[in-house]
Amino acid sequence: MAVPATRLTHLAKVNARSSFLRPFDLRPPPWRLLLLRPPPPSFSLTKAPVQRPYHSYDRAPSAPAYNATEDAILSAAMRHVPEHGFTEKALALGAEEAGYLDLSSVNLFPQRAFELVNYHLVTERLRLKDRLQFEEIEEKLHTKLGVGARVRLLAIERLMANKDVVGRWQEALALMAYPTYVPQSLAELARLSDEIWFLAGDTSVDSSWYTKRASLAAIYSSAEVYMTQDTSTNFADTQQFLDRRLEDARAVGDTVSSVGEWLGFTRHAVVNVLRSKGVRI
């Protein structure tokens, strides 16, 4: 039976007014974006995406973190940190040693002493990929190392890169706790955590990509603080502390059953990171 024209007109008006009959907005809400990792460069709506670990290396390489002049001054200044600390004095001595006037260090490095801290953080992170050769280690041990074992070795190796300045690291932590430098410090910590998981061979592409990095950042940061008080031979106590924290994180990861629970754990981890940097929360 044909539908009367008046009935069709009525349905058209209802359709125009009703929010239930309008096309759905397929955009995710803003909070959802926090749980979704960016798609890989090969993402397509017409073919299955290529599964690969998301990492900054997937993008075009960026320019060096420091130019030749900056690197010359800061690397020379780092040699004075054990005696003078992360200070403008060490920065000025580095500039003089590199053949520049003291004034040049002020002009080149507006963040003053924090530039030394950030230089150490960035350069030691970038050197990490060359410090360990897992193939050689596995050959000596006659066993294949899992991702967790590699994460542990990389974290220890990065901690040991602080040994020459560990007596001054409390000064570095104090500088990183300045409100101006907290975002930059946490961003570099996040990059370190990502680097460790990447070098360890992590291939996760789900929400664990974030939770692994957040928990490792908290663990590493607390171990770094612990190390400043460690007087044991070769920082053995710090390594044991790191092992306990990694085991705790593994246990939590094995028992939580939802993203919400993981986010709760991660929130506490971030708070601990901020506290370790001296931020009062």
Side-chain angles (χ1 to χ4, degrees), residues 174-205:
L175 286 169
M176 285 187 276
Y178 281 15
T180 304
Y181 304 138
V182 165
Q184 191 173 344
S185 301
L186 290 179
E188 181 56 37
L189 178 61
R191 284 189 284 268
L192 173 62
S193 181
D194 178 39
E195 187 78 1
I196 290 175
W197 278 108
F198 173 75
L199 295 176
D202 177 54
T203 58
S204 60
V205 293

Side-chain angles (χ1 to χ4, degrees), residues 32 47 54 57 67-68 71 76-77 92 96 148 165 178 198 243:
R32 180 67 175 173
K47 63 180 180 179
Y54 174 75
Y57 291 173
N67 61 41
D71 185 68
E96 183 179 352
V165 295
Y178 281 15
F198 173 75
D243 288 341

Side-chain angles (χ1 to χ4, degrees), residues 35 78 128 144-145 151 211 224 230 239 243 276:
L35 303 179
M78 283 301 302
L128 194 57
K144 186 75 173 177
L145 295 174
V151 166
T211 55
E224 196 175 62
D230 187 2
Q239 296 186 37
D243 288 341
S276 72

Side-chain angles (χ1 to χ4, degrees), residues 256-263:
V256 296
S257 58
S258 70
V259 173
E261 292 178 34
W262 253 120
L263 290 176

Side-chain angles (χ1 to χ4, degrees), residues 25-145:
D25 185 356
L26 298 179
R27 294 175 298 175
W31 64 267
R32 180 67 175 173
L33 297 177
L34 299 175
L35 303 179
L36 299 176
R37 48 159 287 194
S42 59
F43 178 80
S44 172
L45 291 176
T46 59
K47 63 180 180 179
V50 177
Q51 295 296 327
R52 70 177 69 177
Y54 174 75
H55 192 272
S56 57
Y57 291 173
D58 293 336
R59 297 190 289 270
S62 58
Y66 297 93
N67 61 41
T69 300
E70 293 169 339
D71 185 68
I73 293 176
L74 291 170
S75 60
M78 283 301 302
R79 293 192 284 271
H80 296 280
V81 168
E83 180 180 355
H84 299 285
F86 289 92
T87 61
E88 292 185 37
K89 175 66 174 177
L91 193 58
L93 290 172
E96 183 179 352
E97 186 176 315
Y100 298 89
L101 296 175
D102 290 353
L103 182 61
S104 64
S105 63
V106 176
N107 295 333
L108 282 173
F109 309 114
Q111 293 180 315
R112 308 296 179 88
F114 179 74
E115 297 279 6
L116 278 174
V117 177
N118 196 57
Y119 177 80
H120 178 75
L121 296 175
V122 171
T123 55
E124 292 303 334
R125 170 175 57 82
L126 295 177
R127 289 179 183 137
L128 194 57
K129 66 181 185 298
D130 300 319
R131 290 185 181 274
L132 290 177
Q133 301 299 324
F134 290 120
E135 293 79 6
E136 297 178 4
I137 296 174
E138 290 173 342
E139 185 177 348
K140 291 179 181 179
L141 297 176
H142 302 289
T143 186
K144 186 75 173 177
L145 295 174

